[in-house]
Amino acid sequence: ILQYEKAFTRCEDEDIRRRIKVGKAMAQLLSKDKKLIEEAQKEIQLLENKWNAESDLSSRFLYNLASWYAIFTSQHEDDQKAKQKARKYLVYALVRDRDRNLWDWARLDPDFQSVREKFADLQYLMMKRLDEVDELPEMTGERFVKHIGEILKEMNWI
């Protein structure tokens, strides 16, 4: 956790700084220390309050945030809101990932074990939507939310 603090103070790139914050919050979750977990939850809430998920084009940041929620979900299995956020941010990240580098990793990533049922179906639906709406990875706002919402609904993830 201290290494994340060091990295944060040395980094000037805002996107990377946000990813460092999420990485630290993941480490705090994995510590299983109640105080650290509460700090992590507050940090994630602060990040989300200052940020617009539908406009963020950083697939890696979205993936990291989805990972945080997936880890939280594995520790708090009855928290359906966290599970939905993990899935939503995962879909955002994968749709934004034009090169599809994250797609194979997400399929195998142990962090997503608690939230990725029917992942092959998800990949199929996303590929189909991306073929229909080529500009979806760069789309923002209500149009983006509409398309992602339809994918999540078809998956019965919302």
Side-chain angles (χ1 to χ4, degrees):
I1 292 172
L2 294 175
Q3 295 301 322
Y4 283 106
E5 288 295 327
K6 274 186 186 177
F8 184 79
T9 59
R10 292 181 179 168
C11 181
E12 294 180 19
D13 183 298
E14 191 56 38
D15 186 48
I16 294 172
R17 289 173 64 98
R18 289 184 309 154
R19 289 177 53 205
I20 291 169
K21 284 183 179 184
V22 174
K24 177 184 173 189
M26 280 193 265
Q28 289 171 311
L29 273 182
L30 294 170
S31 75
K32 300 196 179 185
D33 178 285
K34 188 175 180 175
K35 184 179 177 191
L36 291 176
I37 291 170
E38 287 173 7
E39 285 178 23
Q41 288 176 282
K42 287 178 186 173
E43 185 63 46
I44 295 300
Q45 286 175 345
L46 281 172
L47 276 172
E48 287 181 306
N49 289 339
K50 297 177 185 177
W51 166 76
N52 182 341
E54 294 77 24
S55 297
D56 198 314
L57 301 178
S58 173
S59 60
R60 297 215 179 261
F61 175 72
L62 291 161
Y63 188 91
N64 288 63
L65 196 55
S67 294
W68 187 90
Y69 274 105
I71 293 167
F72 186 86
T73 298
S74 69
Q75 295 176 353
H76 303 87
E77 294 173 7
D78 58 333
D79 192 331
Q80 291 303 308
K81 189 174 180 179
K83 188 174 192 175
Q84 286 179 341
K85 281 190 173 191
R87 289 172 165 173
K88 178 178 79 169
Y89 291 146
L90 178 61
V91 173
Y92 282 15
L94 297 178
V95 165
R96 299 278 193 220
D97 182 30
R98 272 232 183 248
D99 298 329
R100 299 198 179 124
N101 294 325
L102 296 174
W103 289 45
D104 287 333
W105 181 244
R107 184 176 51 84
L108 304 171
D109 191 334
D111 291 345
F112 291 112
Q113 189 171 353
S114 64
V115 299
R116 74 164 162 241
E117 57 268 3
K118 303 186 293 181
F119 193 75
D121 293 342
L122 173 65
Q123 287 181 302
Y124 172 77
L125 287 173
M126 288 189 305
M127 297 262 306
K128 182 178 169 192
R129 186 60 55 114
L130 287 165
D131 283 344
E132 295 168 354
V133 186
D134 188 50
E135 70 276 9
L136 186 57
E138 289 85 24
M139 195 179 287
T140 60
E142 288 299 316
R143 288 182 54 216
F144 182 74
V145 171
K146 177 184 172 273
H147 287 289
I148 300 305
E150 290 170 358
I151 293 169
L152 292 168
K153 191 173 183 176
E154 283 185 63
M155 289 294 298
N156 292 317
W157 281 7
I158 55 172

